Amino acid sequence: MASAPSRALPFLSPPSTAPASASLRAPSSRLRCAAAAGQAGFFTRLGRLIKEKAKSDVDKLFSGFSKTRENLSVVDELLTYWNLADTDRVLDDLEEALLVSDFGPKISFRIVDTLRDQIRDGKLKSGTEIKASLKRCILELLTTKGSKTELQLGFRKPAVIMIVGVNGGGKTTSLGKLAYRFKNEGAKVLMAAGDTFRAAARDQLEIWAERTGSEIVIDNDKKAQAPSVLSQAVKRGKREGFDVVLCDTSGRLHTNYGLMEELVSCKKVIAKALPGAPNEILLVLDGTTGLNMLQQAKEFNDVVGITGFILTKLDGTARGGCVVSVVDELGIPVKFVGVGEGVEDLQPFDAEAFVEAIFP
């Protein structure tokens, strides 16, 4: 009696001379590739959507930098009645205005020297042209050294973001506001309460989780170390199909060697739980500290490798030039800026919008 003809599975290619095991592996590989491509596309769209929201929220950025803009309003006064004979005096006053706004000596001197050379060469012949050149100089500094302002979320789920910084800089609040933005774009978000030193931080993050509709992993026995909490969160994120895992960490002074080393441990356990993670390590810096933030940024970067900055409390300071200073000094992009207390006031950073906000 003849046996019934074998029926090929619809997703398999026609029979070949290759071993059966190889034929069966091929579709699985193709499906994995398709899934990976789909996840990569999701994260690309997610990063782009968040960045595009920045362009629609220019008014928030503009109002958030009002104190810095007020500080720099002297620039318009200086340039309105500029003439060639007054060049040295005007540029000296311009230099002082940049320094007061915490652009830093190196950047301020470089910008003024560039303007002086352009005036001397006859390239700038009016106050309007000088101001336009000033804005171009600042924009070039930001886009040359800190161009990757979009979140780099990788190619597979979950994307893992570590939030680090000193005490009082706004880490936990920034994480909560990030979660809000991700949830608004349809992402499934898991928070990790890795600030195990401060009981209030866990409570604060639980409030943010409830407020944003996110899940959260906490230290239930209140004795676990931060690396353990973060490892559990990343494993859960992978197991349950979360899109993004946001990892809070304890605030620490950059001069405390032991606590800084704990960050290294946190980074290692995340990478062990999910090779290639974390996708971003964002350092939260208090904008009111101005240029004092530079040493913090250098220390954190040397220890854990920072991929981007979140600059907070910029609405309460006239020292907005520190945005340019930190990018120029370290070549690390600003990803977000805090320009208010509202949940939507953590704004994706846009260099062109920033320059227009401080020099309208």
Side-chain angles (χ1 to χ4, degrees):
M1 181 174 175
S3 60
S6 61
R7 192 170 54 190
L9 295 174
F11 56 76
L12 292 179
S13 56
S16 70
T17 57
S21 59
S23 297
L24 289 170
R25 281 198 303 268
S28 175
S29 175
R30 286 198 298 273
L31 289 172
R32 284 197 300 270
C33 289
Q39 291 181 14
F42 169 81
F43 286 127
T44 300
R45 288 193 301 275
L46 185 60
R48 188 175 63 245
L49 282 169
I50 289 175
K51 187 63 186 289
E52 285 174 354
K53 287 291 177 68
K55 295 187 182 298
S56 65
D57 290 340
V58 170
D59 288 345
K60 286 184 181 292
L61 195 68
F62 191 84
S63 62
F65 282 101
S66 59
K67 291 188 177 181
T68 300
R69 183 167 60 255
E70 184 179 339
N71 222 29
L72 291 168
S73 62
V74 66
V75 173
D76 282 329
E77 297 172 19
L78 290 170
L79 297 178
T80 299
Y81 301 106
W82 171 85
N83 61 68
L84 193 58
D86 285 339
T87 296
D88 289 337
R89 178 188 62 78
V90 167
L91 291 182
D92 285 346
D93 288 346
L94 173 59
E95 184 179 282
E96 183 179 349
L98 294 174
L99 289 169
V100 168
S101 297
D102 266 12
F103 278 84
K106 187 167 70 172
I107 292 175
S108 300
F109 299 160
R110 192 191 315 166
I111 289 173
V112 169
D113 286 344
T114 298
L115 294 176
R116 183 177 282 110
D117 290 343
Q118 290 176 341
I119 292 170
R120 185 186 301 123
D121 294 342
K123 296 177 181 177
L124 304 177
K125 299 177 181 180
S126 69
T128 302
E129 291 179 353
I130 294 172
K131 183 178 178 181
S133 182
L134 167 64
K135 292 165 70 171
R136 277 196 304 272
C137 287
I138 295 171
L139 186 59
E140 284 173 10
L141 282 171
L142 290 170
T143 54
T144 300
K145 292 195 172 184
S147 58
K148 292 185 178 180
T149 57
E150 285 186 18
L151 289 173
Q152 307 298 305
L153 299 177
F155 304 101
R156 61 180 176 181
K157 298 180 181 180
V160 181
I161 300 175
M162 266 181 77
I163 308 292
V164 303
V166 302
N167 290 310
K171 284 187 298 72
T172 304
T173 299
S174 295
L175 188 151
K177 291 179 179 180
L178 268 180
Y180 174 82
R181 284 198 171 271
F182 282 125
K183 289 292 291 185
N184 271 5
E185 300 305 335
K188 185 180 179 183
V189 177
L190 179 64
M191 297 180 179
D195 187 346
T196 55
F197 287 109
R198 192 168 61 95
R202 185 181 66 176
D203 296 339
Q204 186 182 1
L205 204 62
E206 285 185 288
I207 292 170
W208 272 109
E210 183 177 353
R211 187 176 182 183
T212 61
S214 303
E215 297 290 320
I216 186 170
V217 172
I218 61 174
D219 167 21
N220 287 315
D221 61 10
K222 300 183 180 179
K223 293 180 181 178
Q225 299 297 309
S228 174
V229 175
L230 300 190
S231 177
Q232 290 176 44
V234 174
K235 289 175 182 176
R236 180 183 167 187
K238 183 179 179 181
R239 184 174 64 249
E240 299 183 16
F242 282 87
D243 298 314
V244 181
V245 178
L246 297 174
C247 299
D248 196 13
T249 59
S250 301
R252 63 207 69 217
L253 290 174
H254 56 284
T255 53
N256 189 318
Y257 178 79
L259 289 179
M260 291 296 281
E261 282 300 301
E262 185 191 63
L263 282 183
V264 177
S265 298
C266 288
K267 183 178 178 181
K268 285 180 178 178
V269 299
I270 289 173
K272 185 176 181 180
L274 183 65
N279 304 89
E280 292 271 14
I281 302 177
L282 303 181
L283 174 61
V284 177
L285 295 168
D286 183 342
T288 62
T289 63
L291 289 176
N292 294 327
M293 70 173 64
L294 286 178
Q295 192 57 40
Q296 288 179 31
K298 288 176 183 177
E299 295 288 345
F300 274 94
N301 188 48
D302 287 345
V303 171
V304 77
I306 300 303
T307 61
F309 298 117
I310 297 176
L311 301 186
T312 62
K313 308 178 186 178
L314 288 168
D315 57 311
T317 180
R319 307 168 82 176
C322 63
V323 173
V324 186
S325 298
V326 74
V327 171
D328 181 68
E329 191 73 26
L330 295 175
I332 297 171
V334 175
K335 304 276 183 170
F336 291 88
V337 289
V339 292
E341 296 294 329
V343 69
E344 295 185 348
D345 290 335
L346 185 70
Q347 291 290 303
F349 182 70
D350 182 271
E352 189 172 346
F354 166 75
V355 173
E356 290 300 325
I358 62 173
F359 292 111

